[in-house]
Amino acid sequence: MNLIYVHLNRIIRAYDANIIYMAGPGHGGPALVANVYLEGTYSEFFPAITRDTAGLRALFRQFSTPGGIPSHVSAPTPGSIHEGGELGYVLVHAFGAAFDNPDLVVAAVIGDGEAETGPLEGSWKGVKFLNPVRDGAVLPILHLNGYKIAGPTVWGRESDANIAAFLQGQGYEAHFVEGDDPAVVHRTFAAALENAYLRIRAIQSEARAHGFSTRPVWPALVLRTPKGWTCPKFVDGVRIEGTFRAHQVPLATVRENPTHLHLLEEWMRSYRPEELFDADGRFRAEFADLAPSGDRRMGANPHANGGRLAVPLDLPDCTQLAVDVPRPATVRLESTRALGALLRDIYRRNPTNFRLFCPDETNSNRLGAVFEATDRCFVGPLLDIDDHVSHDGRVMEVLSEHNCHGWLEGYTLTGRHGLFATYEAFAMVVDSMAMQHAKWLEHCRRIPWRRPVPSLNYLLTSTCWRNDHNGFSHQGPGFIDNIVTKKPSVVRVYLPPDANALLAVADHCLRSESYLNLIVIDKQPQLQWLTMAEARAHCARGASVWEWCSTDGEPEIILACAGDTATLETVAAAWLLKRHVPELRFKVVNVVDLMSLPPSDRHPHGMDPAAFAALFTLDKPVVFAFHGYPGVIHQLIHGRPDSDRFHVRGYVEEGTTTTPFDMVVLNRMSRFHLCQDAVRFTPSLTSRGATLLSRAEEILARHRAYVTEHFEDLPEIRDWVWS
Ligand SMILES: Cc1ncc(C[n+]2csc(CCOP(=O)(O)OP(=O)(O)O)c2C)c(N)n1
C-alpha cells in the first residue's frame, strides 16, 4: 500500500496528474494514514498531530485505540471516500467517482481476498459504461499477496496467464509486477505504473480528439508481493512474512514477551527512521519534497471531499409537472411517470452532474420520459434495434444492484447528484451497502472538514402490493426496516401517496445533503388524492388529517395510513364506514414522512407532542394501515402516549401471484379488515357495527370466489372511486 502510494505521488509530480487512491484492503489503513501524514495533509486537517516527535507519538497512539481513529481507511482519513471495512466495493466506488470527471484517475487497489467477493467480481464491467471522452479513468491494481485472513486466495494461486485471460474478457490489458526484493519491485512497478498512466492518457486523448467507435482496452496492474512484506520473516520459529500469519498484526504480545518486543524494535529500525526523520522527529525535507503539493496531494484532492466541488442541482419548477386532480380519488394514473418527467427535465438542465442508476427497469418503472433527454449508457457494440442506447447516454442501467448503488455512492461522494431506482424487493440486495454508506455519512458529520455531499436518493417501486403477476419473490418491503434503524441524522423515509406528493418529495430530496433518502411508491395506475398545492403542504407537514374523507366532530377512532396502497384501503374503509355506520366519528391521517412518527428526541423529523396529539389524539384507538412490515410502525411510535392503542396492519409475508386486492386481503390490510378493526376497537358501536362485520365477511367470501374464477378483482373493488 505504501509502495503504491509513493509511486502514484511520483506520477502526480511528473505529469501534474489528478489522482485519488482507493484502498480496497481495509487493513491497509495505516499505510494511507502514514502517507497523508508524511505529505502534510494530516496535520492540516488535524493540527494536534504535528510534524515532529510529539505529533508522531500522538499519531501512533491514536491508531485503533479508544478515542482514536479506526484501523481502516475511514472517514477521518484525508483523501479517502472508501473505507474497505466491508470488502467488495472498491471498484464500484472507483467507477462512480470517475464518471463525469474527465481529468480524474482513480487508482483502485483490490486485495486478492476482496477480489473473491460477488460485488467485486461483478464490478469489473464498469469499463463497459465508461466513456473515455467525458469520464475519467479507473486504474485497477489487483494486489496478490496470496492470502486472506487464514487461507489462500483464489487469484493468488492462479497463473498469470489465467488472470490475464480473465481480465482481458472483462475489458482490460493486464500488466504484471512480481517480486520480493523492494529495490527491484520499485523499479518495475514505477515503469508499469507510468506505462499504465500514459496508456490511459493516450486512450483519452485519442477519443477526445477523434471520437471512438470501439471500447478501449484499459490497463490494469497485477502486483504480486509477499503478504506482510518486510515484516519479521520468522517469529518463534514460525514463518510470518509471505504467509497468512502476517495478516493485520504480524507480531503480537509485545508487552508481555521481551523477545517479541525486541523483534518489534528490530523490525521498526529496519526502516532506518534516523535517515528519514531529523532529531526533532520532522520528516526530512529531501523526502517530504518528493510528495506533490497543495490539492494535488492525494490526501487533499477535492474529489475525495466531494462537498468542496458539489454544485446544487438546477431543478425545474416541479409544480409545472403537476398532474391535474380536480377531485380526490377520482383520477387513476401511474404516479412514477410524473417523476420520469421531472428526471427528464433535470437531465436537460444538468448535463454533467446528474445520473439515474437502475437495474434495467427505467421503462418498467415508468420513468421512460428520461429517454426524451438522454439514452441508456452502453460503451460497447450498438445495434440498430437497440432502444435509446448510446455511448453518450447518461441513464446507467446495469442489472446489478451492487453496481448501481456503488456507482451512485462514488458519484455523490465526489459531489454529484443522482437517484437509484429499483424494484422494492431487490433493494434488499444492497442492504449492507446502504448500511455502510449510512455509517460513512454519519461519521463524516462529526468531522468538520468533511463538507456535506449530495444525498443518496432511492426510489423503491414495483412494490410488494402490486407485484401480483411476479409473485412472492418480488414481494418484500424489508429495505424500510433496514433504513429506519440507521442514525436519525442521516436517514429519511417518504411514502408519497400519489403523483403530486411524489414530485414534492423528490424535489425536496434532490436538494438535500448527506442523507439516505428513501422514497417508496408503486408504478401501477393508482388513484390520485392531492392537488400540487395540497401535496406540497402535506409533504411539508409530513403527516396530516385528510378532512375530506374524515367525519366531523371529535373522533372516536383514527384511521391512519402510510404508503399508496395502504392509503387506498384506508380511504375506501372510510367510505364504507360513512355509509354503513354513519354515527361513527373518525379522522383519516395520512403519513408521508415516516420519520415524523417517532418522538422528536429520536428523530429530527419527529412531531412534537402537541402535533402528534392533534393527529392521533392522546387516547383514541388508531387503526394504522402501513405499506411495510407492521413492526416498523410499532418501533417508530414507541414512546408516544399509550402506544398500545395503535393497531397496525401491513405486509405480513403473505405473497403469491394474485390480484392487487387479493394481496391486501391475504395480508389482512383490506378496506374490510380495516373496517372490522374500526368496529372492533370502538366499543360504542353495537348493532350497525355487527351488520358491517357480517357484510365484510360476505364480500370477502365473494371476492375469493370471484378472483379464482375471473383472475381479476370484483368490479366494485377494481373501479372504486370516492363518491
Ligand atoms: C465482506 C467482508 N467479509 C469478510 C471480511 C473479513 N476480512 C477482513 S480482512 C479479510 C481478508 C482480506 O484479504 P485481502 O483482500 O487479500 O486483503 P489483504 O490480504 O491485503 O489484507 C477478511 C476475510 C470483511 N472485512 N468483509
Side-chain angles (χ1 to χ4, degrees):
M1 305 291 280
N2 285 307
L3 174 109
I4 293 167
Y5 203 101
V6 294
H7 283 283
L8 288 170
N9 274 349
R10 196 174 147 269
I11 297 294
I12 294 169
R13 286 277 307 264
Y15 297 98
D16 189 27
N18 187 3
I19 299 180
I20 59 173
Y21 187 134
M22 287 205 194
H27 293 306
L32 278 285
V33 171
N35 280 285
V36 291
Y37 174 78
L38 293 174
E39 74 187 14
T41 42
Y42 205 91
S43 304
E44 289 167 21
F45 288 118
F46 301 99
I49 308 293
T50 46
R51 303 182 80 183
D52 54 17
T53 308
L56 275 173
R57 183 177 152 77
L59 178 74
F60 302 154
R61 281 184 58 83
Q62 68 169 9
F63 176 71
S64 201
T65 47
I69 58 167
S71 61
H72 293 111
V73 178
S74 49
T77 313
S80 143
I81 55 168
H82 168 84
E83 153 142 357
E86 182 171 292
L87 300 169
Y89 312 128
V90 69
L91 255 192
V92 276
H93 290 165
F95 278 105
F99 293 142
D100 287 320
N101 263 331
D103 189 39
L104 185 67
V105 175
V106 187
V109 181
I110 306 157
D112 45 358
E114 173 169 32
E116 293 176 12
T117 64
L120 195 293
E121 179 137 347
S123 57
W124 291 102
K125 67 175 77 67
V127 280
K128 298 174 186 183
F129 300 82
L130 190 84
N131 180 319
V133 176
R134 66 172 183 201
D135 297 326
V138 173
L139 175 62
I141 304 174
L142 177 60
H143 182 221
L144 309 180
N145 61 16
Y147 290 95
K148 305 186 281 273
I149 295 178
T153 60
V154 168
W155 286 123
R157 298 273 164 108
E158 208 50 76
S159 67
D160 286 3
N162 281 351
I163 295 169
F166 171 80
L167 289 177
Q168 187 185 5
Q170 299 287 348
Y172 304 84
E173 183 180 44
H175 300 271
F176 291 80
V177 175
E178 179 172 359
D180 58 5
D181 178 348
V184 174
V185 177
H186 271 295
R187 280 201 192 84
T188 44
F189 189 73
L193 185 63
E194 187 156 17
N195 284 340
Y197 179 77
L198 293 175
R199 182 77 204 111
I200 286 169
R201 289 306 188 211
I203 290 169
Q204 292 173 333
S205 312
E206 169 65 22
R208 290 169 195 180
H210 306 111
F212 68 102
S213 52
T214 53
R215 188 182 59 245
V217 177
W218 297 91
L221 299 181
V222 183
L223 175 64
R224 280 191 204 264
T225 58
K227 181 139 174 152
W229 195 16
T230 72
C231 79
K233 298 216 172 339
F234 289 88
V235 176
D236 301 332
V238 178
R239 188 168 177 84
I240 303 294
E241 190 197 45
T243 76
F244 64 90
R245 292 193 178 83
H247 188 78
Q248 206 175 4
V249 182
L251 187 57
T253 61
V254 290
R255 293 178 197 222
E256 303 84 10
N257 185 328
T259 317
H260 285 194
L261 182 63
H262 177 68
L263 269 174
L264 174 65
E265 182 173 350
E266 249 184 11
W267 172 21
M268 293 295 111
R269 288 196 184 284
S270 74
Y271 300 118
R272 305 197 299 272
E274 62 287 348
E275 293 174 23
L276 302 171
F277 296 87
D278 68 16
D280 297 325
R282 273 190 197 84
F283 195 34
R284 290 181 192 276
E286 66 221 82
F287 303 118
D289 290 348
L290 293 173
S293 57
D295 280 358
R296 282 294 192 236
R297 291 171 300 174
M298 289 189 283
N301 192 306
H303 292 289
N305 188 6
R308 279 182 63 192
L309 301 174
V311 177
L313 278 178
D314 175 8
L315 287 169
D317 175 4
C318 69
T319 62
Q320 300 295 315
L321 300 167
V323 302
D324 192 22
V325 183
R327 277 183 305 121
T330 51
V331 177
R332 264 192 189 82
L333 52 83
E334 297 159 319
S335 298
T336 51
R337 287 208 188 276
L339 179 65
L342 178 71
L343 299 177
R344 173 198 62 207
D345 293 355
I346 293 174
Y347 266 119
R348 287 186 177 141
R349 298 162 81 110
N350 303 271
T352 59
N353 67 341
F354 175 80
R355 294 199 191 197
L356 168 65
F357 300 83
C358 186
D360 186 26
E361 299 151 2
T362 307
N363 271 337
S364 166
N365 290 333
R366 317 291 195 259
L367 302 174
V370 293
F371 297 125
E372 295 165 29
T374 183
D375 294 324
R376 296 174 176 84
C377 170
F378 188 66
V379 184
L382 303 175
L383 304 180
D384 291 346
I385 51 159
D386 288 343
D387 176 35
H388 286 100
V389 183
S390 74
H391 296 157
D392 303 327
R394 307 179 54 74
V395 175
M396 308 304 288
E397 280 200 341
V398 59
L399 209 173
S400 158
E401 285 73 11
H402 288 113
N403 275 266
C404 290
H405 199 285
W407 288 349
L408 181 54
E409 280 181 65
Y411 202 64
T412 53
L413 288 172
T414 46
R416 287 79 56 70
H417 307 259
L419 173 77
F420 170 34
T422 180
Y423 284 6
E424 180 185 53
F426 306 135
M428 285 180 282
V429 168
V430 291
D431 260 0
S432 203
M433 296 183 83
M435 177 178 70
Q436 295 295 339
H437 190 59
K439 288 173 198 269
W440 180 274
L441 292 177
E442 165 60 24
H443 204 164
C444 287
R445 297 178 75 82
R446 289 179 266 136
I447 302 170
W449 53 266
R450 284 271 179 199
R451 305 276 284 271
V453 292
S455 296
L456 195 145
N457 301 303
Y458 301 88
L459 172 72
L460 266 49
T461 186
S462 298
T463 63
C464 56
W465 300 110
R466 295 305 314 273
N467 253 297
D468 15 284
H469 58 299
N470 277 315
F472 204 17
S473 63
H474 285 52
Q475 294 155 346
F479 196 68
I480 299 175
D481 299 58
N482 180 24
I483 294 298
V484 297
T485 56
K486 300 299 154 299
K487 283 269 189 181
S489 48
V490 293
V491 292
R492 308 288 183 260
V493 182
Y494 300 98
L495 295 135
D498 69 1
N500 287 332
L502 172 60
L503 287 172
V505 163
D507 179 79
H508 174 79
C509 293
L510 290 162
R511 290 174 199 276
S512 70
E513 289 177 330
S514 297
Y515 297 144
L516 268 62
N517 290 313
L518 181 59
I519 307 174
V520 188
I521 185 169
D522 193 59
K523 65 185 183 187
Q524 301 288 355
Q526 51 187 207
L527 280 174
Q528 303 294 308
W529 318 102
L530 304 164
T531 65
M532 192 70 214
E534 288 164 347
R536 292 182 82 180
H538 181 45
C539 294
R541 281 197 293 273
S544 40
V545 173
W546 285 8
E547 295 291 355
W548 60 270
C549 53
S550 303
T551 66
D552 294 334
E554 273 298 299
E556 297 162 89
I557 190 163
I558 304 299
L559 303 181
C561 48
D564 46 12
T565 298
T567 302
L568 168 65
E569 292 310 311
T570 299
V571 175
W575 185 86
L576 286 166
L577 289 169
K578 283 192 172 200
R579 264 152 198 78
H580 297 286
V581 271
E583 69 273 29
L584 179 67
R585 296 187 312 277
F586 61 83
K587 297 281 179 215
V588 172
V589 173
N590 185 262
V591 179
V592 181
D593 178 352
L594 207 57
M595 292 310 187
S596 65
L597 292 176
S600 45
D601 61 351
R602 290 223 314 271
H603 195 284
H605 286 197
M607 281 179 259
D608 65 38
F612 191 84
L615 295 183
F616 297 103
T617 74
L618 290 173
D619 51 5
K620 298 292 181 294
V622 180
V623 175
F624 202 127
F626 176 51
H627 171 87
Y629 292 103
V632 170
I633 298 297
H634 289 298
Q635 178 182 340
L636 294 176
I637 57 156
H638 178 75
R640 292 295 193 180
D642 191 9
S643 54
D644 280 356
R645 69 197 161 101
F646 282 72
H647 307 281
V648 186
R649 300 256 171 202
Y651 180 78
V652 288
E653 212 63 12
E654 291 291 344
T656 181
T657 46
T658 189
T659 65
F661 188 68
D662 200 37
M663 275 300 292
V664 290
V665 171
L666 291 174
N667 286 282
R668 298 184 286 283
M669 194 185 76
S670 78
R671 56 201 71 182
F672 301 110
H673 291 90
L674 300 178
C675 284
Q676 286 172 336
D677 280 354
V679 170
R680 195 172 306 140
F681 297 121
T682 316
S684 60
L685 287 181
T686 49
S687 60
R688 294 182 91 154
T691 313
L692 176 58
L693 288 186
S694 56
R695 186 166 152 69
E697 288 301 341
E698 179 261 312
I699 295 190
L700 286 173
R702 200 148 49 82
H703 152 80
R704 172 113 319 273
Y706 190 91
V707 295
T708 319
E709 181 166 357
H710 298 277
F711 300 168
E712 60 182 17
D713 286 321
L714 285 162
E716 67 202 83
I717 303 285
R718 207 180 54 218
D719 304 328
W720 177 84
V721 292
W722 184 265
S723 58

